[in-house]
């Protein structure tokens, strides 16, 4: 099982990355640090006479990950009650990616690519991040990706997630289930 | 009454901008086109020893608008069920702005700055954009901005919003109320 | 076009009923006052060896309305951020109704029965009633009823809805659209 | 620590009750089976000249539980994406209870009464029951009850909850935390 984690934090060693490490402990996977990629915001040319234009940035790495993974993790800090802006820009570009003639197989591939969301935030996230979870569901429904699990952790300062026993317990169970599937 | 509209679309003459024009027809206001500004994503240094570092981009124009407006409009297309990535990056930077020592009056000022959200999208937005509205409420609650009204319109192609009679009727009433207040 | 409005308030001349009257002004329709019907809560016998048992109450009037209407209105006060308990009990009984052997045509019929929600409440309803709208969407999705419109009005005291210009404007437009369809 | 669990299912030995048993294993608490109580729907007389009238039913048992408990559990099956109708009727009556002159201390008492929600349902509940969680948050905010935790379990048939390892793990951790507090 090929796995890629999109790491959406602006910090190194972020809480959301740490939670990802727990979920995928002992499992081979690849990380894509969005903060280290140059990803342009979407330029919505869906209805332009010439359609979308090729963008010279690192987005092909995202598409490549989607095309080669059986499971993708969206690991994001909860900034202002939703995913980070750099992750949002990545998601916004899906609109162009699924129309990109260089990757005609992408749309079909996504329907067989499982999605997991791991999010960590500081202001009562198990309630106030619920709209974000609903949005991820809508996103995955639109591109027909199976959305199989999410964990919302609590944390502000670096390392805080280590104190969220509930989130860690959920991560440990998920880790066990994923390990069983990767054997 | 000073009014600024943050225009979050990647398109010129977007549906969300058009809806803003209807809401503010006959009223003096300023537009800030986020697509034409250079705004860096947040670098979350809240817990760094040195704190946030000055960012060399156009964000001070956003702060300036917040400091001088009695009412701000968040006009955004609904991209993937929430605000556009460029608007999200603007919002993410609030975390730095409210700690920026150059603008000690900002936090207090926001509590007296009214917020309105105008959003237009294409996939059943009056239901699927509701999580976004809840997030805006959480955002405005956090910075204590009064969130007084929102309109969700339906549209995909440029100009579509002109066909959404319900959204336009809401915009017309809001326009009348705002006009009465600006006299 | 046959239309039935389920009136979910415990009050006579409630704000939600008044909003319904505006939406359906000049159109022939039937009202079912849930407060005047005896409807038992669901007894969930889906997994019981004998299945659901016939309940001696007024629920057949609800089923009859669903079977004979092209459009049904769920008019409810917003009690504690969702539909009233008497309307919830009505909805809960759908689980039994769609399995009721006396009405084998019900499930199919519902897929062609349009649903509209009209709700009035007092505590910032255009934001705090949004989870209720999402639930109605899930409900209608489950039974495949087309959910075509909703209006959320503000009101506490009897008659308050008359002051909600936005809700009344939406109701007037909806009324015009419905009238055009009933000609 | 006095604890009461409101059991909102129409079934005996329901999944939501079973989840409650896990959360409160080894801890003394009282159960109130709503299906066995006679609770009238609210009759909204807030604005009636004579105000609310005394209702002859079992609701005083609910008030008694609220007045004597430090922690209350709302254990409910997820019927049609929200709490059961019998629990909703119980909640609707809060409007009368907090104005009941026989219990002038109730409002103040609730601000010191912790609330936990345990809910089990069958149709993708960890996503589709999120609006219900948001509503519970609004409810508890209104009466100022601290809402400290919730668990959403998956289950349809009696006993199903025993297979939801994630919900059971969360319940076990919560149990441990509650036990530590009841020593």
């Amino acid at each position: 099982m090929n796995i890629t984690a999109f790491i959406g934090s602006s910090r190194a060693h972020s809480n959301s990355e740490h939670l990802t490490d727990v979920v995928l402990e002992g499992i081979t996977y690849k990380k894509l640090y969005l903060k280290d990629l140059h990803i342009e915001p979407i330029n919505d040319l869906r209805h332009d006479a010439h359609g979308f234009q090729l963008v010279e940035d690192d987005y092909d790495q995202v598409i490549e990950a989607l095309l080669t993974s059986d499971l993708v993790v969206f690991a994001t800090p909860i900034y202002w009650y939703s995913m980070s802006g750099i992750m949002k820009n990545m998601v916004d570009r899906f609109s162009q990616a699924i129309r990109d003639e260089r990757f005609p197989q992408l749309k079909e591939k996504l329907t067989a690519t499982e999605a997991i969301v791991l999010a960590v935030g500081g202001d009562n996230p198990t309630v106030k991040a619920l709209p974000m979870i609903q949005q991820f569901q809508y996103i995955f429904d639109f591109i027909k990706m199976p959305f199989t699990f999410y964990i919302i952790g609590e944390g502000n300062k670096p390392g805080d997630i280590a104190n969220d026993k509930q989130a860690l317990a959920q991560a440990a169970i998920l880790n066990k289930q994923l390990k069983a599937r990767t054997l």
Side-chain angles (χ1 to χ4, degrees), chain A:
Chain A
M1 187 160 67
N2 282 325
I3 302 176
T4 301
F6 298 115
I7 307 294
S9 183
S10 63
R11 295 199 296 222
H13 314 297
S14 66
N15 282 308
S16 48
E17 180 178 0
H18 180 74
L19 186 58
T20 307
D21 290 337
V22 177
V23 166
L24 296 174
E25 188 271 321
I27 298 173
T28 305
Y29 70 107
K30 194 182 147 188
K31 282 180 187 175
L32 226 52
Y33 291 94
L34 301 184
K35 73 180 172 61
D36 298 334
L37 298 185
H38 173 66
I39 295 180
E40 287 287 312
I42 185 83
N43 184 9
D44 179 11
L45 296 168
R46 282 175 302 156
H47 305 284
D48 189 86
H50 304 90
F52 284 107
Q53 300 303 305
L54 192 68
V55 181
E56 297 286 352
D57 65 2
D58 298 326
Y59 200 77
D60 282 3
Q61 294 185 42
V62 172
I63 296 179
E64 195 60 32
L66 292 170
L67 284 173
T68 57
S69 301
D70 306 295
L71 168 67
V72 290
V73 174
F74 292 76
T76 185
I78 304 165
Y79 288 164
W80 295 96
Y81 312 103
S82 63
M83 68 180 95
S84 65
I86 55 176
M87 183 168 280
K88 184 58 172 40
N89 272 335
M90 178 190 90
V91 169
D92 283 359
R93 288 281 295 281
F94 285 176
S95 302
Q96 177 162 1
I98 58 179
R99 291 170 175 85
D100 193 323
E101 292 175 359
R102 297 174 302 147
F103 308 104
Q105 74 281 38
L106 178 61
K107 267 182 89 162
E108 179 70 19
K109 174 62 177 69
L110 290 175
T111 66
T113 307
E114 193 177 327
I116 286 175
V117 171
L118 305 175
V120 182
D123 178 21
N124 193 12
T126 54
V127 171
K128 295 189 179 176
L130 299 186
M132 179 187 71
I133 298 299
Q134 297 173 308
Q135 288 166 338
F136 270 115
Q137 182 71 66
Y138 287 139
I139 291 167
F140 298 136
D141 280 352
F142 190 90
I143 50 180
K144 300 196 174 66
M145 288 181 80
F147 179 24
T148 54
F149 207 71
Y150 69 85
I151 301 175
I152 298 172
E154 185 152 2
N156 256 316
K157 290 191 304 298
D160 272 359
I161 189 67
N163 301 318
D164 185 340
K165 291 195 190 336
Q166 288 283 2
L168 294 180
Q170 292 184 283
I173 293 173
L174 182 54
N175 173 257
K176 213 168 154 181
Q177 293 168 336
L178 292 174
K179 261 183 186 153
R181 290 168 55 191
T182 52
L183 290 182

